[in-house]
Amino acid sequence: MILVTGGAGFIGSNFVLDWLRGSSEAVLNVDKLTYAGNLGTLESLSDNARHVFVRADICERAAMEALLVEHKPRAILHFAAESHVDRSIHGPTDFVQTNVVGTFTLLETARAYWNTLPAAQKSAFRFLHVSTDEVFGSLSADDPPFSETTAYAPNSPYSATKAGSDHLVRAYHHTYGLPVLTTNCSNNYGPYQFPEKLIPLMIANALAGKPLPVYGDGNNVRDWLYVGDHCAAIRRVLADGKPGETYNIGGWNEKKNLDVVNALCDLLDTLRPKGQGLYREQITYVKDRLGHDRRYAIDARKIERELGWKPAETFETGLARTVRWYLHNQAWVDEVASGEYQKWVEDNYAVRV
Ligand code: NAD
Ligand code: TYD
């Protein structure tokens, strides 16, 4: 079987659902179930004997060791992280703990387990670390996109902790020979994304008749990738990636935030028209994020050249699929957006007026 950490979060759950649809191999899904992890997302797997869910914290070494010894996975796919930049600005402690200490703990337990494996299993074992393009910092309008050799220059507590985890992963290969793979991906969107992130937040606010809060001038650029394409890329890297290598994954979809929000408004005008007026009228400009990175863009030629992966969705097809999914799954949004999330909305947006 494979072990997935963070498989109740946005990308991890999409990965687990896709994996179990496309493969006969079982998944051990280890997740702490923070605010961002939701078992409701995995409801369709409740009768699936190939999905084993364990609530555990990757920082707990004994628990992670016991899971490896009991289940003997052939690979670890490490998605678990604190992932929201705005939260890392308000409170970085959990980011250092999970992203740095948690990844370190997982590497230590993986190394100890890997050392006990017979030679053939040892050489086939993989530790795949899921990281972000944000470790490379911010681009100007005319800079070339990030490649695998771009120097690290993280700017937020989130990206700094992800950069720290990437360095540890690299060091475990270089020092101990652990067969690691690292992927650095651009902004994902799609089903089951927590509504604190740009695209699901704007859909939810639009439908609720609330303001659509665009940070700063709305001209920050992100390179958007449909989550299903990201999961396909990770499967390719797991199957054929070369240990010790890093792979950049992106959608070739650079968009200004304002253009993304306008596109969402236009889709909603067609799919769920308001009685009166247009969704664009709800757009409001709010105080910018501290240290807001201006532009991210990924050069994804290496993974295409070496592993034959490229995204299947365009931004237009992926966004339309996503909006339709949110329109049909508002009960999921209501469930995850209750409780703690309401306090977050107050903390993050009250200070921006
Ligand atoms: P997410 O916040 O939606 O999910 C994170 C999951 O990890 C949650 O289920 C949470 O409960 C779990 N988790 C957190 N701390 C844990 C701990 N200590 N022990 C066990 N589980 C814990 O995040 P996501 O958007 O799905 O991102 C997944 C990974 O992909 C992250 O490593 C992130 O840095 C990376 N990434 C995300 C994006 C994006 O656009 N979302 C882009 C590139 C890379
Ligand atoms: P986000 O989804 O938080 O991803 P990241 O910061 O990891 O790129 O934000 C995407 C972009 O959207 C980013 O430039 C910040 C901007 N943004 C807003 O303008 N308003 C919002 O309410 C949010 C959450 C983000």
Side-chain angles (χ1 to χ4, degrees):
M1 63 158 47
I2 59 166
L3 189 163
V4 167
T5 71
F10 164 47
I11 304 173
S13 64
N14 274 282
F15 182 86
V16 169
L17 290 164
D18 285 0
W19 181 271
L20 290 170
R21 265 195 295 269
S23 150
S24 56
E25 196 175 11
V27 176
L28 172 62
N29 185 349
V30 179
D31 197 295
K32 182 181 174 183
L33 296 180
T34 67
Y35 79 91
N38 298 287
L39 283 181
T41 306
L42 303 166
E43 214 168 68
S44 64
L45 302 178
S46 56
D47 292 329
N48 189 330
R50 288 189 297 121
H51 179 240
V52 181
F53 182 84
V54 176
R55 185 175 194 177
D57 185 335
I58 55 163
C59 301
E60 301 275 340
R61 187 171 175 153
M64 298 313 296
E65 262 168 15
L67 286 170
L68 289 176
V69 169
E70 182 185 347
H71 295 279
K72 302 185 177 39
R74 67 158 177 107
I76 296 175
L77 289 98
H78 179 32
F79 294 87
E82 288 292 334
S83 70
H84 190 36
V85 173
D86 290 317
R87 287 190 191 246
S88 82
I89 294 167
H90 283 248
T93 308
D94 288 347
F95 288 73
V96 175
Q97 184 61 21
T98 285
N99 300 0
V100 182
V101 179
T103 301
F104 164 69
T105 309
L106 197 62
L107 283 165
E108 273 294 271
T109 52
R111 178 167 76 93
Y113 162 71
W114 175 69
N115 273 324
T116 66
L117 295 176
Q121 288 171 33
K122 198 172 174 187
S123 71
F125 182 81
R126 296 288 182 269
F127 184 106
L128 191 154
H129 175 58
V130 179
S131 192
T132 167
D133 61 355
E134 305 194 22
V135 297
F136 300 118
S138 184
L139 296 168
S140 308
D142 47 5
D143 283 335
F146 304 128
S147 78
E148 287 78 3
T149 54
T150 302
Y152 274 36
N155 289 321
S156 73
Y158 163 65
S159 54
T161 58
K162 289 298 289 187
S165 67
D166 293 9
H167 291 325
L168 282 167
V169 170
R170 176 191 156 89
Y172 270 63
H173 177 71
H174 189 81
T175 306
Y176 305 113
L178 190 70
V180 305
L181 300 155
T182 295
T183 56
N184 293 90
C185 188
S186 61
N187 285 62
N188 282 219
Y189 66 100
Y192 300 114
Q193 187 167 32
F194 197 79
E196 66 190 354
K197 301 274 169 70
L198 180 75
I199 288 178
L201 180 116
M202 293 296 172
I203 298 171
N205 280 20
L207 295 174
K210 292 182 182 164
L212 306 180
V214 172
Y215 295 172
D217 62 6
N219 288 326
N220 299 68
V221 172
R222 299 293 183 261
D223 178 352
W224 293 95
L225 178 69
Y226 188 72
V227 66
D229 280 329
H230 185 191
C231 293
I234 289 173
R235 292 194 299 273
R236 286 297 308 127
V237 173
L238 178 66
D240 288 324
K242 193 163 160 260
E245 292 288 312
T246 69
Y247 297 90
N248 281 4
I249 306 172
W252 301 106
N253 276 317
E254 284 189 56
K255 302 279 174 205
K256 290 179 176 166
N257 291 341
L258 192 58
D259 293 338
V260 173
V261 177
N262 281 331
L264 285 169
C265 288
D266 296 350
L267 275 165
L268 287 170
D269 283 329
T270 308
L271 296 169
R272 184 68 59 88
K274 302 209 271 190
Q276 264 192 334
L278 298 173
Y279 285 104
R280 285 185 187 214
E281 291 156 19
Q282 289 169 231
I283 292 175
T284 45
Y285 291 90
V286 299
K287 209 157 129 195
D288 210 352
R289 175 185 279 173
L290 292 177
H292 196 174
D293 283 340
R294 195 62 174 169
R295 173 177 165 239
Y296 303 142
I298 282 272
D299 175 345
R301 281 177 300 178
K302 176 178 172 182
I303 187 171
E304 178 169 356
R305 191 175 59 243
E306 295 187 7
L307 302 179
W309 173 89
K310 57 181 183 187
E313 297 286 343
T314 64
F315 188 65
E316 288 66 33
T317 59
L319 203 65
R321 281 179 79 159
T322 303
V323 169
R324 281 201 194 88
W325 186 88
Y326 278 93
L327 287 173
H328 290 128
N329 290 277
Q330 284 186 61
W332 180 89
V333 178
D334 293 344
E335 192 188 315
V336 303
S338 59
E340 189 271 353
Y341 181 63
Q342 295 309 322
K343 179 162 182 329
W344 165 251
V345 170
E346 225 167 81
D347 288 352
N348 191 41
Y349 294 96
V351 294
R352 291 189 188 277
V353 284

